PDB file of all heavy atoms in Angstrom:
ATOM      1  N   ASP B 305      43.183  42.085   9.394  1.00 89.00           N
ATOM      2  CA  ASP B 305      44.157  42.605   8.441  1.00 89.00           C
ATOM      3  C   ASP B 305      45.349  41.607   8.363  1.00 89.00           C
ATOM      4  O   ASP B 305      45.822  41.297   7.299  1.00 89.00           O
ATOM      5  CB  ASP B 305      44.684  43.963   8.874  1.00 89.00           C
ATOM      6  CG  ASP B 305      43.694  45.054   8.459  1.00 89.00           C
ATOM      7  OD1 ASP B 305      42.772  44.737   7.681  1.00 89.00           O
ATOM      8  OD2 ASP B 305      43.781  46.206   8.998  1.00 89.00           O
ATOM      9  N   ASN B 306      45.801  41.210   9.532  1.00 87.00           N
ATOM     10  CA  ASN B 306      46.890  40.240   9.635  1.00 87.00           C
ATOM     11  C   ASN B 306      46.443  38.962  10.203  1.00 87.00           C
ATOM     12  O   ASN B 306      46.228  38.869  11.416  1.00 87.00           O
ATOM     13  CB  ASN B 306      48.058  40.873  10.507  1.00 87.00           C
ATOM     14  CG  ASN B 306      48.557  42.141   9.880  1.00 87.00           C
ATOM     15  OD1 ASN B 306      48.900  42.256   8.732  1.00 87.00           O
ATOM     16  ND2 ASN B 306      48.573  43.161  10.774  1.00 87.00           N
ATOM     17  N   PRO B 307      46.220  37.935   9.357  1.00 89.00           N
ATOM     18  CA  PRO B 307      45.701  36.696   9.874  1.00 89.00           C
ATOM     19  C   PRO B 307      46.594  36.135  11.025  1.00 89.00           C
ATOM     20  O   PRO B 307      47.819  36.363  11.029  1.00 89.00           O
ATOM     21  CB  PRO B 307      45.805  35.787   8.666  1.00 89.00           C
ATOM     22  CG  PRO B 307      45.723  36.688   7.499  1.00 89.00           C
ATOM     23  CD  PRO B 307      46.465  37.920   7.914  1.00 89.00           C
ATOM     24  N   ILE B 308      45.913  35.446  11.948  1.00 89.00           N
ATOM     25  CA  ILE B 308      46.682  34.891  13.096  1.00 89.00           C
ATOM     26  C   ILE B 308      46.555  33.328  13.044  1.00 89.00           C
ATOM     27  O   ILE B 308      45.678  32.819  12.377  1.00 89.00           O
ATOM     28  CB  ILE B 308      46.127  35.397  14.468  1.00 89.00           C
ATOM     29  CG1 ILE B 308      44.607  35.109  14.491  1.00 89.00           C
ATOM     30  CG2 ILE B 308      46.442  36.862  14.611  1.00 89.00           C
ATOM     31  CD1 ILE B 308      43.995  35.357  15.871  1.00 89.00           C
ATOM     32  N   GLU B 309      47.433  32.692  13.753  1.00 87.00           N
ATOM     33  CA  GLU B 309      47.416  31.220  13.780  1.00 87.00           C
ATOM     34  C   GLU B 309      46.814  30.650  15.061  1.00 87.00           C
ATOM     35  O   GLU B 309      46.118  29.676  15.110  1.00 87.00           O
ATOM     36  CB  GLU B 309      48.787  30.644  13.566  1.00 87.00           C
ATOM     37  CG  GLU B 309      49.188  30.749  12.099  1.00 87.00           C
ATOM     38  CD  GLU B 309      50.557  30.205  11.821  1.00 87.00           C
ATOM     39  OE1 GLU B 309      51.135  29.585  12.744  1.00 87.00           O
ATOM     40  OE2 GLU B 309      51.020  30.330  10.723  1.00 87.00           O
ATOM     41  N   ALA B 310      47.117  31.375  16.138  1.00 87.00           N
ATOM     42  CA  ALA B 310      46.571  30.949  17.484  1.00 87.00           C
ATOM     43  C   ALA B 310      45.861  32.140  18.136  1.00 87.00           C
ATOM     44  O   ALA B 310      46.142  33.289  17.775  1.00 87.00           O
ATOM     45  CB  ALA B 310      47.731  30.447  18.281  1.00 87.00           C
ATOM     46  N   LEU B 311      45.050  31.761  19.041  1.00 87.00           N
ATOM     47  CA  LEU B 311      44.211  32.785  19.723  1.00 87.00           C
ATOM     48  C   LEU B 311      45.106  33.478  20.812  1.00 87.00           C
ATOM     49  O   LEU B 311      45.716  32.799  21.623  1.00 87.00           O
ATOM     50  CB  LEU B 311      43.037  32.138  20.415  1.00 87.00           C
ATOM     51  CG  LEU B 311      41.895  32.993  20.908  1.00 87.00           C
ATOM     52  CD1 LEU B 311      41.218  33.746  19.759  1.00 87.00           C
ATOM     53  CD2 LEU B 311      40.920  32.136  21.682  1.00 87.00           C
ATOM     54  N   PRO B 312      45.225  34.836  20.718  1.00 86.00           N
ATOM     55  CA  PRO B 312      45.997  35.515  21.769  1.00 86.00           C
ATOM     56  C   PRO B 312      45.401  35.240  23.148  1.00 86.00           C
ATOM     57  O   PRO B 312      44.197  35.165  23.244  1.00 86.00           O
ATOM     58  CB  PRO B 312      45.834  37.008  21.339  1.00 86.00           C
ATOM     59  CG  PRO B 312      45.379  36.992  19.951  1.00 86.00           C
ATOM     60  CD  PRO B 312      44.638  35.741  19.742  1.00 86.00           C
ATOM     61  N   GLU B 313      46.280  35.216  24.103  1.00 85.00           N
ATOM     62  CA  GLU B 313      45.818  34.886  25.493  1.00 85.00           C
ATOM     63  C   GLU B 313      44.847  35.900  26.020  1.00 85.00           C
ATOM     64  O   GLU B 313      43.965  35.593  26.785  1.00 85.00           O
ATOM     65  CB  GLU B 313      47.065  34.815  26.410  1.00 85.00           C
ATOM     66  CG  GLU B 313      47.751  33.477  26.263  1.00 85.00           C
ATOM     67  CD  GLU B 313      48.304  32.957  27.580  1.00 85.00           C
ATOM     68  OE1 GLU B 313      47.984  33.650  28.583  1.00 85.00           O
ATOM     69  OE2 GLU B 313      48.980  31.945  27.582  1.00 85.00           O
ATOM     70  N   ALA B 314      45.066  37.124  25.608  1.00 84.00           N
ATOM     71  CA  ALA B 314      44.199  38.220  26.061  1.00 84.00           C
ATOM     72  C   ALA B 314      42.738  37.977  25.733  1.00 84.00           C
ATOM     73  O   ALA B 314      41.863  38.528  26.318  1.00 84.00           O
ATOM     74  CB  ALA B 314      44.667  39.542  25.474  1.00 84.00           C
ATOM     75  N   LEU B 315      42.507  37.171  24.721  1.00 86.00           N
ATOM     76  CA  LEU B 315      41.113  36.953  24.224  1.00 86.00           C
ATOM     77  C   LEU B 315      40.555  35.594  24.713  1.00 86.00           C
ATOM     78  O   LEU B 315      39.466  35.193  24.306  1.00 86.00           O
ATOM     79  CB  LEU B 315      41.067  36.992  22.672  1.00 86.00           C
ATOM     80  CG  LEU B 315      41.432  38.383  22.099  1.00 86.00           C
ATOM     81  CD1 LEU B 315      41.534  38.249  20.597  1.00 86.00           C
ATOM     82  CD2 LEU B 315      40.408  39.428  22.445  1.00 86.00           C
ATOM     83  N   ALA B 316      41.358  34.900  25.540  1.00 85.00           N
ATOM     84  CA  ALA B 316      40.945  33.498  25.945  1.00 85.00           C
ATOM     85  C   ALA B 316      39.614  33.420  26.653  1.00 85.00           C
ATOM     86  O   ALA B 316      38.933  32.391  26.599  1.00 85.00           O
ATOM     87  CB  ALA B 316      42.009  32.878  26.740  1.00 85.00           C
ATOM     88  N   SER B 317      39.187  34.532  27.228  1.00 85.00           N
ATOM     89  CA  SER B 317      37.950  34.504  27.997  1.00 85.00           C
ATOM     90  C   SER B 317      36.680  34.541  27.074  1.00 85.00           C
ATOM     91  O   SER B 317      35.615  34.306  27.540  1.00 85.00           O
ATOM     92  CB  SER B 317      37.923  35.711  28.981  1.00 85.00           C
ATOM     93  OG  SER B 317      38.003  36.935  28.232  1.00 85.00           O
ATOM     94  N   HIS B 318      36.919  34.878  25.833  1.00 87.00           N
ATOM     95  CA  HIS B 318      35.749  34.906  24.924  1.00 87.00           C
ATOM     96  C   HIS B 318      35.589  33.568  24.166  1.00 87.00           C
ATOM     97  O   HIS B 318      36.563  32.929  23.875  1.00 87.00           O
ATOM     98  CB  HIS B 318      35.928  36.012  23.889  1.00 87.00           C
ATOM     99  CG  HIS B 318      35.965  37.408  24.424  1.00 87.00           C
ATOM    100  ND1 HIS B 318      34.842  38.029  24.869  1.00 87.00           N
ATOM    101  CD2 HIS B 318      37.030  38.276  24.735  1.00 87.00           C
ATOM    102  CE1 HIS B 318      35.165  39.211  25.373  1.00 87.00           C
ATOM    103  NE2 HIS B 318      36.476  39.412  25.345  1.00 87.00           N
ATOM    104  N   PRO B 319      34.308  33.209  23.852  1.00 86.00           N
ATOM    105  CA  PRO B 319      34.057  31.976  23.096  1.00 86.00           C
ATOM    106  C   PRO B 319      34.522  32.152  21.606  1.00 86.00           C
ATOM    107  O   PRO B 319      33.715  32.357  20.748  1.00 86.00           O
ATOM    108  CB  PRO B 319      32.627  31.724  23.177  1.00 86.00           C
ATOM    109  CG  PRO B 319      31.977  33.056  23.498  1.00 86.00           C
ATOM    110  CD  PRO B 319      33.043  33.871  24.231  1.00 86.00           C
ATOM    111  N   LEU B 320      35.800  32.201  21.402  1.00 88.00           N
ATOM    112  CA  LEU B 320      36.342  32.464  20.071  1.00 88.00           C
ATOM    113  C   LEU B 320      37.077  31.217  19.516  1.00 88.00           C
ATOM    114  O   LEU B 320      37.676  30.468  20.235  1.00 88.00           O
ATOM    115  CB  LEU B 320      37.318  33.603  20.129  1.00 88.00           C
ATOM    116  CG  LEU B 320      36.784  35.011  20.157  1.00 88.00           C
ATOM    117  CD1 LEU B 320      37.946  35.941  20.513  1.00 88.00           C
ATOM    118  CD2 LEU B 320      36.159  35.417  18.848  1.00 88.00           C
ATOM    119  N   THR B 321      37.013  31.071  18.183  1.00 87.00           N
ATOM    120  CA  THR B 321      37.851  30.075  17.565  1.00 87.00           C
ATOM    121  C   THR B 321      38.532  30.750  16.364  1.00 87.00           C
ATOM    122  O   THR B 321      38.000  31.758  15.855  1.00 87.00           O
ATOM    123  CB  THR B 321      37.060  28.843  17.021  1.00 87.00           C
ATOM    124  OG1 THR B 321      35.966  29.326  16.301  1.00 87.00           O
ATOM    125  CG2 THR B 321      36.598  27.953  18.192  1.00 87.00           C
ATOM    126  N   VAL B 322      39.663  30.158  16.009  1.00 90.00           N
ATOM    127  CA  VAL B 322      40.403  30.780  14.872  1.00 90.00           C
ATOM    128  C   VAL B 322      39.907  30.068  13.591  1.00 90.00           C
ATOM    129  O   VAL B 322      39.821  28.825  13.553  1.00 90.00           O
ATOM    130  CB  VAL B 322      41.911  30.563  14.989  1.00 90.00           C
ATOM    131  CG1 VAL B 322      42.656  31.118  13.788  1.00 90.00           C
ATOM    132  CG2 VAL B 322      42.408  31.228  16.259  1.00 90.00           C
ATOM    133  N   SER B 323      39.485  30.820  12.549  1.00 88.00           N
ATOM    134  CA  SER B 323      38.994  30.196  11.361  1.00 88.00           C
ATOM    135  C   SER B 323      40.184  29.767  10.443  1.00 88.00           C
ATOM    136  O   SER B 323      41.317  30.109  10.721  1.00 88.00           O
ATOM    137  CB  SER B 323      38.095  31.194  10.603  1.00 88.00           C
ATOM    138  OG  SER B 323      38.848  32.270  10.127  1.00 88.00           O
ATOM    139  N   ASP B 324      39.851  29.057   9.379  1.00 86.00           N
ATOM    140  CA  ASP B 324      40.858  28.449   8.521  1.00 86.00           C
ATOM    141  C   ASP B 324      41.713  29.564   7.877  1.00 86.00           C
ATOM    142  O   ASP B 324      42.889  29.383   7.620  1.00 86.00           O
ATOM    143  CB  ASP B 324      40.186  27.648   7.428  1.00 86.00           C
ATOM    144  CG  ASP B 324      39.594  26.392   8.026  1.00 86.00           C
ATOM    145  OD1 ASP B 324      39.944  26.062   9.163  1.00 86.00           O
ATOM    146  OD2 ASP B 324      38.681  25.815   7.331  1.00 86.00           O
ATOM    147  N   ASP B 325      41.035  30.749   7.608  1.00 86.00           N
ATOM    148  CA  ASP B 325      41.751  31.813   6.891  1.00 86.00           C
ATOM    149  C   ASP B 325      42.484  32.785   7.915  1.00 86.00           C
ATOM    150  O   ASP B 325      42.809  33.921   7.531  1.00 86.00           O
ATOM    151  CB  ASP B 325      40.873  32.540   5.955  1.00 86.00           C
ATOM    152  CG  ASP B 325      39.625  33.076   6.644  1.00 86.00           C
ATOM    153  OD1 ASP B 325      39.520  32.962   7.853  1.00 86.00           O
ATOM    154  OD2 ASP B 325      38.767  33.628   5.927  1.00 86.00           O
ATOM    155  N   GLY B 326      42.571  32.325   9.126  1.00 88.00           N
ATOM    156  CA  GLY B 326      43.266  33.163  10.137  1.00 88.00           C
ATOM    157  C   GLY B 326      42.462  34.242  10.747  1.00 88.00           C
ATOM    158  O   GLY B 326      42.941  35.167  11.417  1.00 88.00           O
ATOM    159  N   GLY B 327      41.118  34.215  10.491  1.00 90.00           N
ATOM    160  CA  GLY B 327      40.184  35.138  11.147  1.00 90.00           C
ATOM    161  C   GLY B 327      39.671  34.570  12.449  1.00 90.00           C
ATOM    162  O   GLY B 327      40.137  33.507  12.925  1.00 90.00           O
ATOM    163  N   LEU B 328      38.637  35.227  13.023  1.00 91.00           N
ATOM    164  CA  LEU B 328      38.077  34.721  14.310  1.00 91.00           C
ATOM    165  C   LEU B 328      36.584  34.463  14.124  1.00 91.00           C
ATOM    166  O   LEU B 328      35.940  35.156  13.330  1.00 91.00           O
ATOM    167  CB  LEU B 328      38.274  35.771  15.370  1.00 91.00           C
ATOM    168  CG  LEU B 328      39.743  36.000  15.856  1.00 91.00           C
ATOM    169  CD1 LEU B 328      39.835  37.291  16.673  1.00 91.00           C
ATOM    170  CD2 LEU B 328      40.252  34.776  16.625  1.00 91.00           C
ATOM    171  N   ILE B 329      36.141  33.430  14.802  1.00 90.00           N
ATOM    172  CA  ILE B 329      34.683  33.141  14.839  1.00 90.00           C
ATOM    173  C   ILE B 329      34.219  33.301  16.242  1.00 90.00           C
ATOM    174  O   ILE B 329      34.702  32.627  17.134  1.00 90.00           O
ATOM    175  CB  ILE B 329      34.362  31.745  14.321  1.00 90.00           C
ATOM    176  CG1 ILE B 329      34.952  31.588  12.852  1.00 90.00           C
ATOM    177  CG2 ILE B 329      32.877  31.488  14.307  1.00 90.00           C
ATOM    178  CD1 ILE B 329      34.900  30.141  12.371  1.00 90.00           C
ATOM    179  N   TYR B 330      33.231  34.154  16.432  1.00 90.00           N
ATOM    180  CA  TYR B 330      32.717  34.363  17.792  1.00 90.00           C
ATOM    181  C   TYR B 330      31.276  33.844  17.800  1.00 90.00           C
ATOM    182  O   TYR B 330      30.402  34.211  17.003  1.00 90.00           O
ATOM    183  CB  TYR B 330      32.684  35.882  18.068  1.00 90.00           C
ATOM    184  CG  TYR B 330      32.036  36.306  19.389  1.00 90.00           C
ATOM    185  CD1 TYR B 330      32.691  35.971  20.598  1.00 90.00           C
ATOM    186  CD2 TYR B 330      30.787  36.916  19.395  1.00 90.00           C
ATOM    187  CE1 TYR B 330      32.066  36.345  21.777  1.00 90.00           C
ATOM    188  CE2 TYR B 330      30.219  37.278  20.640  1.00 90.00           C
ATOM    189  CZ  TYR B 330      30.873  37.007  21.788  1.00 90.00           C
ATOM    190  OH  TYR B 330      30.315  37.346  23.046  1.00 90.00           O
ATOM    191  N   THR B 331      31.016  32.886  18.721  1.00 84.00           N
ATOM    192  CA  THR B 331      29.666  32.263  18.803  1.00 84.00           C
ATOM    193  C   THR B 331      28.885  32.878  19.949  1.00 84.00           C
ATOM    194  O   THR B 331      29.406  33.014  21.062  1.00 84.00           O
ATOM    195  CB  THR B 331      29.826  30.750  19.001  1.00 84.00           C
ATOM    196  OG1 THR B 331      30.775  30.230  18.074  1.00 84.00           O
ATOM    197  CG2 THR B 331      28.523  30.006  18.887  1.00 84.00           C
ATOM    198  N   TYR B 332      27.669  33.274  19.658  1.00 83.00           N
ATOM    199  CA  TYR B 332      26.912  33.863  20.730  1.00 83.00           C
ATOM    200  C   TYR B 332      25.410  33.573  20.509  1.00 83.00           C
ATOM    201  O   TYR B 332      24.975  33.121  19.492  1.00 83.00           O
ATOM    202  CB  TYR B 332      27.089  35.379  20.745  1.00 83.00           C
ATOM    203  CG  TYR B 332      26.592  36.088  19.492  1.00 83.00           C
ATOM    204  CD1 TYR B 332      25.406  36.738  19.475  1.00 83.00           C
ATOM    205  CD2 TYR B 332      27.378  36.113  18.333  1.00 83.00           C
ATOM    206  CE1 TYR B 332      24.954  37.437  18.329  1.00 83.00           C
ATOM    207  CE2 TYR B 332      26.903  36.739  17.175  1.00 83.00           C
ATOM    208  CZ  TYR B 332      25.730  37.419  17.186  1.00 83.00           C
ATOM    209  OH  TYR B 332      25.305  38.027  16.060  1.00 83.00           O
ATOM    210  N   ASP B 333      24.647  33.759  21.597  1.00 77.00           N
ATOM    211  CA  ASP B 333      23.274  33.510  21.529  1.00 77.00           C
ATOM    212  C   ASP B 333      22.494  34.804  21.187  1.00 77.00           C
ATOM    213  O   ASP B 333      22.529  35.747  21.993  1.00 77.00           O
ATOM    214  CB  ASP B 333      22.775  32.956  22.919  1.00 77.00           C
ATOM    215  CG  ASP B 333      21.333  32.551  22.907  1.00 77.00           C
ATOM    216  OD1 ASP B 333      20.625  32.812  21.903  1.00 77.00           O
ATOM    217  OD2 ASP B 333      20.892  31.978  23.948  1.00 77.00           O
ATOM    218  N   ALA B 334      21.840  34.796  20.049  1.00 70.00           N
ATOM    219  CA  ALA B 334      21.187  36.026  19.541  1.00 70.00           C
ATOM    220  C   ALA B 334      20.074  36.491  20.489  1.00 70.00           C
ATOM    221  O   ALA B 334      19.648  37.657  20.479  1.00 70.00           O
ATOM    222  CB  ALA B 334      20.662  35.800  18.124  1.00 70.00           C
ATOM    223  N   GLN B 335      19.505  35.498  21.242  1.00 66.00           N
ATOM    224  CA  GLN B 335      18.366  35.814  22.070  1.00 66.00           C
ATOM    225  C   GLN B 335      18.759  36.362  23.456  1.00 66.00           C
ATOM    226  O   GLN B 335      17.946  36.842  24.261  1.00 66.00           O
ATOM    227  CB  GLN B 335      17.459  34.579  22.255  1.00 66.00           C
ATOM    228  CG  GLN B 335      17.034  33.974  20.965  1.00 66.00           C
ATOM    229  CD  GLN B 335      16.216  34.974  20.180  1.00 66.00           C
ATOM    230  OE1 GLN B 335      15.237  35.522  20.654  1.00 66.00           O
ATOM    231  NE2 GLN B 335      16.639  35.236  18.898  1.00 66.00           N
ATOM    232  N   ALA B 336      20.034  36.164  23.776  1.00 69.00           N
ATOM    233  CA  ALA B 336      20.470  36.525  25.156  1.00 69.00           C
ATOM    234  C   ALA B 336      20.500  38.028  25.298  1.00 69.00           C
ATOM    235  O   ALA B 336      20.585  38.772  24.331  1.00 69.00           O
ATOM    236  CB  ALA B 336      21.882  35.998  25.383  1.00 69.00           C
ATOM    237  N   GLY B 337      20.308  38.492  26.541  1.00 70.00           N
ATOM    238  CA  GLY B 337      20.247  39.908  26.826  1.00 70.00           C
ATOM    239  C   GLY B 337      21.519  40.652  26.378  1.00 70.00           C
ATOM    240  O   GLY B 337      21.526  41.673  25.742  1.00 70.00           O
ATOM    241  N   SER B 338      22.683  40.029  26.745  1.00 79.00           N
ATOM    242  CA  SER B 338      23.949  40.605  26.367  1.00 79.00           C
ATOM    243  C   SER B 338      24.718  39.612  25.452  1.00 79.00           C
ATOM    244  O   SER B 338      24.892  38.460  25.782  1.00 79.00           O
ATOM    245  CB  SER B 338      24.759  40.898  27.618  1.00 79.00           C
ATOM    246  OG  SER B 338      26.086  41.108  27.259  1.00 79.00           O
ATOM    247  N   THR B 339      25.034  40.137  24.280  1.00 81.00           N
ATOM    248  CA  THR B 339      25.770  39.230  23.342  1.00 81.00           C
ATOM    249  C   THR B 339      27.257  39.234  23.657  1.00 81.00           C
ATOM    250  O   THR B 339      27.962  38.357  23.150  1.00 81.00           O
ATOM    251  CB  THR B 339      25.541  39.692  21.937  1.00 81.00           C
ATOM    252  OG1 THR B 339      26.006  41.046  21.803  1.00 81.00           O
ATOM    253  CG2 THR B 339      24.047  39.605  21.524  1.00 81.00           C
ATOM    254  N   GLY B 340      27.730  40.201  24.366  1.00 85.00           N
ATOM    255  CA  GLY B 340      29.193  40.317  24.665  1.00 85.00           C
ATOM    256  C   GLY B 340      30.021  40.836  23.499  1.00 85.00           C
ATOM    257  O   GLY B 340      31.214  40.850  23.560  1.00 85.00           O
ATOM    258  N   ILE B 341      29.342  41.320  22.466  1.00 87.00           N
ATOM    259  CA  ILE B 341      30.027  41.772  21.303  1.00 87.00           C
ATOM    260  C   ILE B 341      30.804  43.034  21.564  1.00 87.00           C
ATOM    261  O   ILE B 341      32.002  43.208  21.181  1.00 87.00           O
ATOM    262  CB  ILE B 341      29.074  41.938  20.058  1.00 87.00           C
ATOM    263  CG1 ILE B 341      28.550  40.582  19.671  1.00 87.00           C
ATOM    264  CG2 ILE B 341      29.773  42.667  18.907  1.00 87.00           C
ATOM    265  CD1 ILE B 341      27.519  40.606  18.613  1.00 87.00           C
TER     266      ILE B 341
END
Side-chain angles (χ1 to χ4, degrees):
Chain B
D305 280 346
N306 300 309
I308 54 170
E309 284 181 7
L311 195 63
E313 283 218 4
L315 297 171
S317 60
H318 294 285
L320 279 169
T321 50
V322 178
S323 66
D324 293 340
D325 56 3
L328 291 166
I329 302 171
Y330 176 71
T331 311
Y332 64 100
D333 185 353
Q335 303 302 305
S338 164
T339 58
I341 292 176

